[in-house]
């Protein structure tokens, strides 16, 4: 009928390309040159289908319709809300208390649950009327006679479900059994589940690689062998029941707090994982404009040597290669113009040989000065470390206590001091004192005082889940911020290239302590960058960690210095050992093994050699196993299940620590 009606229509109607025939059910006519008119209809599962072309789902007519109207009319119909309430509504303490464990053990040993599922006695309906008293069995208040009760794997029985009417004859409300007293979850008075079935899946879910539908198929296969006449468990009731049951689990308040590190961990290990949900399921509200704040220090004021050509020649010099006479004269001439680093010129004369090579014991120091990173990144000193360096500048004797403070708090400078003492016969020259003074001055330039304006209020981010770290402030925009990569940093060094994922979001950023205990996570809308870590640290941690381990810590530190340098003055940034081999151009201060000990907030020293910096990589290998279960969930369901998974992992970690 479409062809006969519009096959010879005029050019004006034909130019409209798409004409609506019916709205419900959707039926449209689409014109495509050389193909003519075609009728498109919406199938029950939500896809457009062309009745004219052979390949009805991706023909030129459906593409023409989507190009003009988008995917709004082809979206799949919404399923029942995953959090839709079931009949059972009482909270379930988890981990299970001793009484519940004993009751489950009795059922596992052969004790039978009652044949009737009865509602509680007492209480009032929503209208305020009292429920009818009496025995539901004697009064015949039967709701469902043959409700299916799914128990352990491959076991199903039937139960009779009773109700209790309202005492007011005009009120039609009914009270149904919750099932908490007999450890039964009541979905809809027709489908019942024993707690042991969901608890079994909970453990399978925590171990990964067991989607809910795989669990259902295995259950039905066992059911066919043990109970041939029992009805199979359908997909939709199980999905609804599991989502409702899991939301009734009452987790402890400290589930996301490590028993060793406490609510304010001194060390956090951060990394992103590829686990994510679909982009089309993203629901993110529009947030108000962010507050403007003054930026931090400038990158050019933080580096030891600004001129790139001079840095390149000194890199060659530090590598043990001989410079030509022209190159050496250029180096000496330009080093005289380094006003913020006046000790550079005499230092080069001191460490060079007759053929313009660098002495081997000084190559490490010269190489660190050529890095295009802040001196504060190489010298990540605590207050005690800075005081130890100033003691050396002021000429105090190098006794055993001073040397130990340098080793513990300023290991990078201790190596330079050891090289200097070896070349001067154990005496500290004025040249080295001037060098230390310049380095401390360069380091101090990075820590510009913070903006005195109050921090912005917290944002309501639906993609973030930090149960033990509520937001105390919100992110802000910073004036005239210029990040390291925009200021000419070599993109081939320390560059984290994101992978393109056309259908899924980039991933999830997870925070761990050194013991592998998760403190929360955040779904990333765009590719992972230092901004995600910076905003989470600033808004979630009232007391910033003393050590942040991240695979892109060099850029993260620069990102922080560009915005809030004073806040991160006492925080050490380090790259995890697994990714360190990829950072060929970083300062030695970002190498975790540069430090012998790190001091926490209470001043307690922790041995760096015992820190597990790969806890994120180890966790990523486990979270990938639940990708099949989570990747195609809705946003709310994805965040809930990932939180549940991390909570179960934390429970195992806590038991192992105890």
């Amino acid at each position: 009928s479409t062809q006969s009606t519009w096959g010879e229509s005029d050019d004006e109607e034909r130019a409209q390309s798409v004409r609506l025939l019916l709205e419900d059910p959707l039926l449209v006519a689409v014109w495509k040159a050389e193909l003519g008119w075609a009728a498109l209809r919406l199938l029950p599962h939500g896809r457009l289908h062309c009745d004219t072309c052979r390949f009805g789902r991706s023909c030129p007519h459906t593409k023409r319709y989507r190009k003009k109207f988008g995917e709004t009319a082809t979206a799949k119909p919404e399923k029942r809300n995953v959090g839709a309430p079931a009949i059972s509504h009482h909270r379930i303490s988890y981990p299970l208390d001793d009484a519940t464990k004993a009751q489950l053990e009795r059922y596992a040993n052969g004790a039978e649950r009652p044949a009737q599922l009865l509602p509680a006695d007492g209480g009032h309906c929503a209208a305020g009327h009292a429920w009818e008293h009496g025995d539901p069995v004697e009064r015949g208040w039967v709701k469902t006679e043959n409700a299916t009760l799914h128990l352990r794997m491959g076991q199903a029985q039937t139960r009779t479900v009773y109700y209790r009417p309202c005492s007011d004859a005009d009120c039609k409300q009914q009270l149904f059994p919750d099932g908490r007293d007999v450890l039964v979850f009541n979905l809809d008075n027709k489908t019942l589940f024993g707690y042991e079935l969901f608890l079994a899946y909970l453990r399978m879910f925590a171990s990964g690689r067991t989607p809910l539908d795989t669990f259902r198929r295995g259950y039905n296969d066992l059911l066919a062998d043990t109970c041939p006449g029992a009805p199979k468990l359908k997909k939709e009731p199980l999905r609804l029941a599991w989502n409702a049951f899991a939301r009734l689990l009452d987790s402890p308040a400290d589930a996301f707090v490590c028993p060793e590190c406490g609510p304010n961990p001194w060390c956090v290990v951060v990394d992103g994982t590829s686990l994510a949900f679909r982009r089309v399921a993203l629901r993110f509200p529009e947030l108000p404009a962010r507050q403007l704040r003054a930026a931090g220090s400038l990158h050019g004021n933080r580096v030891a040597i600004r001129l790139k050509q001079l840095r390149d020649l000194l890199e060659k010099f530090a590598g043990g290669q001989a410079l030509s006479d022209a190159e050496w004269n250029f180096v000496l001439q330009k080093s005289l113009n380094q006003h913020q680093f006046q000790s550079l010129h005499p230092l080069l004369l001191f460490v060079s040989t007759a053929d313009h090579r660098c002495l081997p014991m000084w190559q490490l120091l010269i190489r660190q000065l050529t890095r295009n990173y802040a001196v504060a990144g190489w010298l990540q000193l605590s207050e005690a470390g800075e005081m130890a360096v100033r003691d050396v500048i002021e000429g105090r004797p190098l006794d055993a206590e001073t040397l130990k403070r340098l080793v513990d708090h300023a290991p990078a400078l201790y190596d330079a001091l050891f090289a200097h003492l070896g070349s001067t016969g154990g005496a500290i020259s004025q040249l080295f004192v001037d060098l230390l003074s310049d380095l401390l001055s360069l380091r101090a330039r990075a820590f510009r005082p913070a903006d005195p304006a109050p921090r912005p209020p917290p944002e309501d981010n639906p993609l973030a889940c930090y149960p033990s770290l509520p937001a105390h402030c919100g992110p802000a925009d910073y004036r005239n911020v210029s990040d390291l990569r925009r200021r000419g940093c070599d993109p081939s060094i320390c560059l984290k290239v994101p992978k393109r994922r056309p259908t899924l979001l980039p991933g999830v950023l997870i925070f761990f302590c050194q013991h592998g205990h998760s403190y929360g996570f955040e779904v990333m809308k765009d590719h992972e960058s230092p901004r995600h870590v910076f905003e989470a640290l600033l808004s979630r941690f009232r007391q910033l960690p003393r050590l942040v381990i991240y695979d892109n810590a060099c850029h993260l530190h620069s990102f922080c210095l560009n915005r809030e340098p004073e806040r991160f003055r006492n925080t050490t940034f380090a790259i995890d050992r697994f990714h360190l081999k990829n950072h060929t151009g970083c300062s030695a201060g970002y190498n975790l093994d540069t430090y012998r000990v790190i001091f926490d907030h209470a001043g307690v020293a922790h041995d760096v050699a015992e820190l597990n910096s790969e806890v994120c990589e180890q966790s990523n290998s486990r979270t990938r196993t639940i990708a099949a279960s989570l990747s195609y969930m809705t946003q709310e369901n994805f965040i809930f299940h990932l939180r549940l998974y991390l909570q179960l992992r934390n429970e195992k970690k806590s038991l192992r620590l105890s």
Side-chain angles (χ1 to χ4, degrees):
S1 63
T2 303
Q3 294 287 351
S4 61
T5 304
W6 288 331
E8 302 297 333
S9 60
D10 54 27
D11 294 339
E12 182 179 355
E13 287 189 352
R14 189 170 297 176
Q16 294 180 7
S17 299
V18 179
R19 294 181 61 116
L20 179 65
L21 303 182
L22 291 175
E23 292 185 0
D24 190 17
L26 180 68
L27 182 64
V28 294
V30 179
W31 169 266
K32 184 69 176 177
E34 300 179 358
L35 295 177
W37 287 100
L40 306 184
R41 57 191 175 90
L42 191 65
L43 298 179
H45 59 270
R47 289 183 179 270
L48 273 178
H49 187 272
C50 179
D51 290 337
T52 304
C53 298
R54 178 181 178 184
F55 302 101
R57 293 184 179 181
S58 59
C59 71
H61 298 101
T62 56
K63 292 180 180 178
R64 170 65 64 88
Y65 179 87
R66 293 190 180 99
K67 183 177 181 181
K68 188 169 183 178
F69 294 101
E71 299 286 344
T72 55
T74 64
K76 291 186 178 182
E78 290 289 334
K79 294 182 178 180
R80 180 179 171 185
N81 184 12
V82 294
I87 302 300
S88 296
H89 61 278
H90 282 95
R91 305 292 299 177
I92 305 169
S93 60
Y94 189 83
L96 301 177
D97 52 43
D98 294 339
T100 304
K101 291 180 180 179
Q103 191 173 1
L104 282 173
E105 186 177 359
R106 288 196 301 271
Y107 291 146
N109 292 333
E112 289 289 338
R113 289 180 170 87
Q116 299 88 14
L117 202 60
L118 305 177
D121 193 5
H124 300 78
C125 69
H129 308 128
W131 295 112
E132 189 72 33
H133 294 287
D135 186 359
V137 179
E138 295 179 357
R139 304 288 293 272
W141 295 331
V142 178
K143 181 64 180 178
T144 307
E145 286 192 0
N146 292 314
T148 304
L149 173 60
H150 300 278
L151 298 171
R152 290 171 292 278
M153 290 295 289
Q155 296 185 19
Q157 301 174 1
T158 59
R159 291 293 185 272
T160 302
V161 180
Y162 291 82
Y163 70 93
R164 189 178 298 278
C166 181
S167 58
D168 189 341
D170 296 331
C171 183
K172 303 301 181 182
Q173 297 185 58
Q174 296 176 344
L175 176 64
F176 302 118
D178 180 272
R180 176 67 180 85
D181 54 337
V182 291
L183 305 186
V184 169
F185 182 82
N186 184 2
L187 175 64
D188 54 6
N189 293 322
K190 300 177 183 178
T191 307
L192 313 174
F193 299 88
Y195 281 14
E196 57 268 35
L197 183 67
F198 283 147
L199 292 175
Y201 176 70
L202 190 66
R203 291 304 173 189
M204 294 182 182
F205 173 73
S207 62
R209 301 187 184 277
T210 309
L212 187 62
D213 196 52
T214 302
F215 177 80
R216 180 188 64 88
R217 290 196 295 267
Y219 174 86
N220 285 334
D221 291 343
L222 289 175
L223 189 65
D225 296 336
T226 57
C227 305
K232 290 186 177 181
L233 180 57
K234 296 183 179 179
K235 181 177 181 179
E236 189 67 8
L238 177 61
R239 184 183 72 89
L240 295 174
W242 162 251
N243 282 293
F245 175 85
R247 283 164 172 78
L248 292 180
L249 297 177
D250 200 1
S251 59
D254 58 349
F256 284 82
V257 175
C258 176
E260 294 288 336
C261 299
N264 294 310
W266 70 272
C267 170
V268 294
V269 188
V270 194
D271 196 14
T273 176
S274 59
L275 179 66
F277 59 90
R278 296 169 300 162
R279 293 181 183 272
V280 295
L282 179 64
R283 300 293 182 266
F284 195 83
E286 292 187 8
L287 300 176
R290 292 180 174 180
Q291 171 186 324
L292 283 176
R293 292 177 61 84
S297 56
L298 297 177
H299 176 70
N301 295 334
R302 302 193 300 253
V303 296
I305 302 173
R306 294 187 181 185
L307 187 62
K308 184 179 186 301
Q309 191 174 0
L310 179 58
R311 289 200 306 268
D312 293 341
L313 288 175
L314 289 180
E315 180 73 22
K316 177 182 176 182
F317 178 71
Q321 303 181 40
L323 299 183
S324 64
D325 292 340
E327 291 175 336
W328 181 245
N329 291 332
F330 176 84
V331 167
L332 293 181
Q333 178 185 359
K334 293 301 180 181
S335 63
L336 286 173
N337 300 329
Q338 296 293 316
H339 302 296
Q340 62 181 9
F341 195 10
Q342 297 181 1
S343 60
L344 178 62
H345 182 78
L347 175 66
L348 294 177
L349 294 176
F350 180 78
V351 302
S352 62
T353 61
D355 57 348
H356 313 317
R357 297 176 186 269
C358 182
L359 294 173
M361 65 181 62
W362 291 98
Q363 290 178 2
L364 178 61
L365 174 63
I366 300 299
R367 186 177 294 111
Q368 294 308 311
L369 297 177
T370 62
R371 301 306 189 195
N372 191 23
Y373 287 93
V375 174
W378 174 42
L379 303 179
Q380 300 190 61
L381 307 178
S382 61
E383 295 179 1
E386 190 170 347
M387 290 177 59
V389 176
R390 294 198 181 277
D391 288 345
V392 177
I393 295 175
E394 294 172 0
R396 296 187 180 180
L398 289 177
D399 52 11
E401 182 182 354
T402 302
L403 291 176
K404 185 178 185 305
R405 287 164 58 199
L406 287 173
V407 172
D408 292 343
H409 298 277
L413 284 183
Y414 176 81
D415 295 338
L417 176 63
F418 184 80
H420 178 72
L421 294 177
S423 60
T424 60
I428 298 179
S429 65
Q430 186 61 37
L431 169 63
F432 193 77
V433 171
D434 294 339
L435 173 64
L436 293 181
S437 299
D438 286 348
L439 290 177
L440 287 187
S441 176
L442 284 168
R443 180 181 179 276
R445 290 190 177 199
F447 302 107
R448 178 178 176 176
D451 192 335
R455 299 287 311 176
E459 286 184 352
D460 185 14
N461 186 0
L463 300 179
C465 180
Y466 297 92
S468 61
L469 298 170
H472 62 89
C473 66
D477 285 337
Y478 295 83
R479 304 182 185 93
N480 303 323
V481 170
S482 183
D483 287 325
L484 184 63
R485 194 176 300 172
R486 300 178 186 175
R487 296 193 58 82
C489 177
D490 187 356
S492 64
I493 297 176
C494 307
L495 182 62
K496 190 169 184 176
V497 180
K499 295 181 180 179
R500 183 178 178 272
R501 308 179 68 187
T503 59
L504 299 178
L505 290 172
V508 177
L509 189 73
I510 310 179
F511 280 75
F512 293 93
C513 71
Q514 57 173 326
H515 305 104
H517 205 98
S518 173
Y519 275 76
F521 63 91
E522 178 178 345
V523 180
M524 297 177 289
K525 295 189 301 179
D526 42 18
H527 292 297
E528 180 186 349
S529 73
R531 176 181 61 84
H532 296 99
V533 187
F534 167 78
E535 292 182 353
L537 287 172
L538 203 61
S539 61
R540 299 287 174 174
F541 292 84
R542 293 185 180 272
Q543 189 176 22
L544 289 173
R546 286 298 177 90
L547 177 62
V548 175
I549 301 176
Y550 181 49
D551 59 3
N552 198 16
C554 50
H555 285 159
L556 173 61
H557 193 202
S558 298
F559 195 94
C560 297
L561 293 178
N562 285 344
R563 289 159 177 80
E564 298 283 351
E566 191 63 30
R567 290 289 305 276
F568 292 89
R569 189 184 189 103
N570 296 320
T571 299
T572 301
F573 294 84
I575 301 167
D576 63 277
R577 298 182 180 94
F578 180 77
H579 290 95
L580 184 64
K581 60 181 179 295
N582 300 326
H583 293 255
T584 58
C586 280
S587 298
Y590 299 120
N591 183 353
L592 184 62
D593 293 327
T594 299
Y595 308 93
R596 189 178 71 89
V597 294
I598 298 289
F599 293 85
D600 60 16
H601 301 108
V604 179
H606 296 267
D607 190 357
V608 172
E610 297 180 356
L611 289 180
N612 182 8
S613 65
E614 287 82 21
V615 292
C616 284
E617 302 303 324
Q618 296 163 1
S619 175
N620 289 349
S621 63
R622 290 190 295 265
T623 54
R624 292 191 190 101
T625 62
I626 61 172
S629 300
L630 271 66
S631 294
Y632 292 90
M633 290 182 177
T634 62
Q635 173 179 309
E636 185 268 341
N637 210 23
F638 174 90
I639 292 176
F640 171 80
H641 277 84
L642 181 55
R643 170 178 173 165
L644 178 62
Y645 173 78
L646 292 176
Q647 176 189 332
L648 296 173
R649 298 299 308 179
N650 286 348
E651 180 186 338
K652 289 187 176 181
K653 292 288 183 181
S654 299
L655 291 175
R656 195 171 302 169
L657 287 174
S658 61

